[in-house]
Amino acid sequence: MALSLKFNEKYIDKYIGSDEITAEIIKHKQLFDDGYACKIGPDDRKGWFKVDNNADENMLKRIHKVADKIRSQSEVLVVIGIGGSNRGSMAAVECLKYAHPDSPEIIWAGNNVSATAIERVMDRIGNRSVSVYVIAKDFNTVEPGLAFRVFRQYLKQRYGDEYKERVTVCGSEGKGNLLELSQKYGFGFLPFPEEVGGRYCILTPVGLLPCAVAGIDIDVLVQSARDTEKYLKTVDAANNPAVRYAVARNLLMKKGFYVESMVVNEPDLEFFARWWLQEFGETEGKIQECIYPDYYVNSEDLHSIGQYVQQGRRFITETYLRCFKTHPDKKVPSSDVEDGFGYLEGKPYDSVNRAVYNGSLKAHYDDGVPCLEFICPDNPDEKLFGELFYFFLFAVYMSANYIGVNPFNQDGVENYKKNMYDLLEKFTKK
Ligand code: PA5
């Protein structure tokens, strides 16, 4: 099986040749062999490496059962979670939900501590029936913890004691107390696998449940991820697009390109770019010599930051995701107003979007911006998302190994939490 995703190295040729990438992979053969065997990094975080560890037939059945219950009882599912724990499902749901207009709406909460934001969620729910899904591995993160409090109170007011039938929690079976709370109060429970960290959890119950509720075919998505896993683990490293991408981006960094921006031309893919940013930013940002990930949503961002990319300081690599949602029937309408856009009359919108994509890629490349590209089939679906998810999990793992950081921890974020606890007097007041 080959991937439907194609990695294009052509537009970095002013800085790096394909032969240099190959030579670097051969030079570090042992490192990549160890990566293929998932030997690098703490053993208690490697569960994601094999899709079937946490998304085999039995687990998928269990997820479907919970999803079916939520779908039958609610018009809205509020997903409470933050960071790695919700960005994967957000990426898939916010892109694929339009194909399932009759499914419950997913609303995201517990990803900030803004009182206004929580009010907005209540307003959006309105009178519609609602369930909540709380994701919190050890159940000690403030954002989901507080949102769960607010929603317990809200659900009790609306549904009385039956409220518990509308709550599913996803947490560790070993640490924290979500499992215990679910048993004591009768909430539904799905396991947050012990050996999978937040940002590696999309192909586990954590990320798959919201997708299933939104009508996404998780069986197809997971099968595609399994196929991708098989491909990436069998193709030799020098021909492995995930390894080549991991090496290419870091060779560019060594030439001064410290920023890598993912570029998408479909706004529905913005949340995928945000997932990608989470993966690379939180995984690699632990040493000075590492890439800062960013993303642009074009054509809008061509009218803002695009100017900087074109002619500002030359330290940005762009990673284009050539992936369009097509609407061949949507054409530029005729007009009896002399507005100056007559030259586009009758043209499909799609071709204008492709012209923007090709035009900006060429302009940036011509001016000296190294551009990596992932070419995807049109109209992203479950199959593509399964592929994208496993591909970039594998790639970020390889990239982190290559620059020598622990792929699975994020100790730095504890510093802000300590300050916050001090300010909130966590340890002095009840
Ligand atoms: O990747 C990670 O581990 C983090 O981004 C976590 O997902 C995030 O901090 C939320 O953690 P928790 O699910 O424990 O509340």
Side-chain angles (χ1 to χ4, degrees):
M1 171 233 162
L3 300 180
S4 59
L5 192 70
K6 302 280 173 260
F7 178 49
N8 181 8
E9 304 163 3
K10 192 165 86 186
Y11 302 116
I12 58 170
D13 62 352
K14 292 180 182 164
Y15 302 95
I16 291 168
S18 289
D19 47 344
E20 270 176 87
I21 300 172
T22 307
E24 188 69 3
I25 294 170
I26 292 167
K27 187 169 148 199
H28 295 277
K29 184 178 178 315
Q30 190 58 51
L31 179 98
F32 294 112
D33 284 352
D34 288 348
Y36 272 50
C38 204
K39 280 192 186 159
I40 307 172
D43 285 337
D44 60 357
R45 285 288 176 275
K46 293 177 177 167
W48 63 274
F49 199 60
K50 187 166 170 45
V51 174
D52 268 339
N53 283 343
N54 298 292
D56 65 0
E57 294 306 315
N58 285 336
M59 184 53 84
L60 287 174
K61 272 191 200 144
R62 199 169 155 189
I63 297 168
H64 277 301
K65 201 170 161 201
V66 179
D68 289 347
K69 179 177 172 189
I70 295 170
R71 286 169 63 82
S72 69
Q73 72 185 5
S74 292
E75 295 159 280
V76 175
L77 175 68
V78 177
V79 175
I80 294 176
I82 193 164
S85 306
N86 72 356
R87 281 209 181 177
S89 48
M90 209 184 260
V93 169
E94 293 303 321
C95 185
L96 303 181
K97 65 182 180 183
Y98 301 98
H100 310 283
D102 296 333
S103 291
E105 184 188 359
I106 310 293
I107 304 184
W108 312 96
N111 48 358
N112 55 59
V113 278
S114 157
T116 306
I118 211 123
E119 278 299 305
R120 300 261 191 270
V121 173
M122 305 296 184
D123 291 347
R124 274 178 69 187
I125 297 169
N127 295 324
R128 291 181 294 170
S129 49
V130 58
S131 298
V132 305
Y133 180 54
V134 183
I135 310 164
K137 188 165 188 187
D138 301 337
F139 196 43
N140 56 14
T141 309
V142 167
E143 291 88 341
L146 292 190
F148 189 20
R149 268 200 175 202
V150 171
F151 274 93
R152 281 199 305 275
Q153 185 194 50
Y154 167 86
L155 289 175
K156 263 190 202 168
Q157 278 164 1
R158 280 191 65 178
Y159 298 105
D161 275 353
E162 290 305 301
Y163 89 97
K164 58 180 188 294
E165 290 297 327
R166 293 174 176 273
V167 178
T168 305
V169 297
C170 179
S172 159
E173 288 177 299
K175 294 191 209 132
N177 61 348
L178 269 186
L179 175 60
E180 204 182 309
L181 290 182
S182 72
Q183 289 161 347
K184 188 165 173 193
Y185 295 100
F187 306 144
F189 180 82
L190 281 173
F192 195 132
E194 218 56 63
E195 70 299 355
V196 181
R199 63 187 171 278
Y200 289 82
C201 73
I202 174 57
L203 299 165
T204 77
V206 185
L208 293 172
L209 191 267
C211 295
V213 174
I216 294 170
D217 189 335
I218 58 168
D219 299 320
V220 173
L221 188 147
V222 168
Q223 187 53 47
S224 171
R226 283 188 198 116
D227 293 343
T228 307
E229 173 190 342
K230 194 168 167 198
Y231 175 80
L232 294 176
K233 287 181 177 174
T234 43
V235 65
D236 68 289
N239 289 306
N240 185 322
V243 173
R244 294 190 72 82
Y245 166 62
V247 170
R249 62 196 293 280
N250 284 299
L251 288 179
L252 286 166
M253 177 187 71
K254 287 179 191 160
K255 299 206 170 178
F257 294 95
Y258 278 90
V259 174
E260 179 190 6
S261 269
M262 175 163 278
V263 181
V264 296
N265 277 51
E266 287 293 347
D268 289 355
L269 284 164
E270 174 168 2
F271 289 91
F272 176 75
R274 285 172 66 78
W275 175 79
W276 169 89
L277 183 149
Q278 168 96 37
E279 295 308 302
F280 284 88
E282 203 175 36
T283 299
E284 296 196 320
K286 299 160 192 169
I287 52 174
Q288 293 300 306
E289 292 298 298
C290 69
I291 296 165
Y292 175 82
D294 195 3
Y295 73 89
Y296 310 141
V297 183
N298 288 349
S299 64
E300 183 175 4
D301 286 340
L302 287 168
H303 295 260
S304 61
I305 199 69
Q307 169 59 40
Y308 189 103
V309 177
Q310 182 83 43
Q311 291 181 317
R313 191 180 166 93
R314 192 57 74 228
F315 68 149
I316 301 170
T317 303
E318 289 183 303
T319 295
Y320 282 75
L321 196 64
R322 182 187 284 269
C323 186
F324 297 98
K325 281 190 163 183
T326 62
H327 292 271
D329 297 339
K330 180 71 80 215
K331 296 190 174 145
V332 177
S334 58
S335 169
D336 51 12
V337 175
E338 289 292 323
D339 61 4
F341 295 102
Y343 69 102
L344 290 175
E345 190 176 315
K347 260 204 181 309
Y349 247 81
D350 290 342
S351 50
V352 182
N353 202 9
R354 284 180 209 273
V356 168
Y357 180 100
N358 291 327
S360 53
L361 172 53
K362 182 173 181 331
H364 292 186
Y365 168 73
D366 286 349
D367 228 350
V369 180
C371 299
L372 295 164
E373 189 182 34
F374 287 100
I375 302 168
C376 308
D378 283 345
N379 300 318
D381 58 7
E382 283 85 346
K383 185 171 179 312
L384 182 65
F385 265 88
E387 206 174 299
L388 287 169
F389 283 140
Y390 196 85
F391 183 95
F392 283 105
L393 289 178
F394 193 91
V396 73
Y397 177 63
M398 290 297 177
S399 184
N401 294 343
Y402 180 61
I403 65 169
V405 298
N406 176 346
F408 306 131
N409 66 349
Q410 61 276 338
D411 295 344
V413 288
E414 295 310 317
N415 298 344
Y416 101 81
K417 288 186 189 170
K418 190 187 166 305
N419 290 347
M420 177 186 72
Y421 293 146
D422 288 348
L423 291 166
L424 295 172
E425 300 178 63
K426 176 180 180 187
F427 300 108
T428 53
K429 275 194 186 148
K430 283 263 182 242

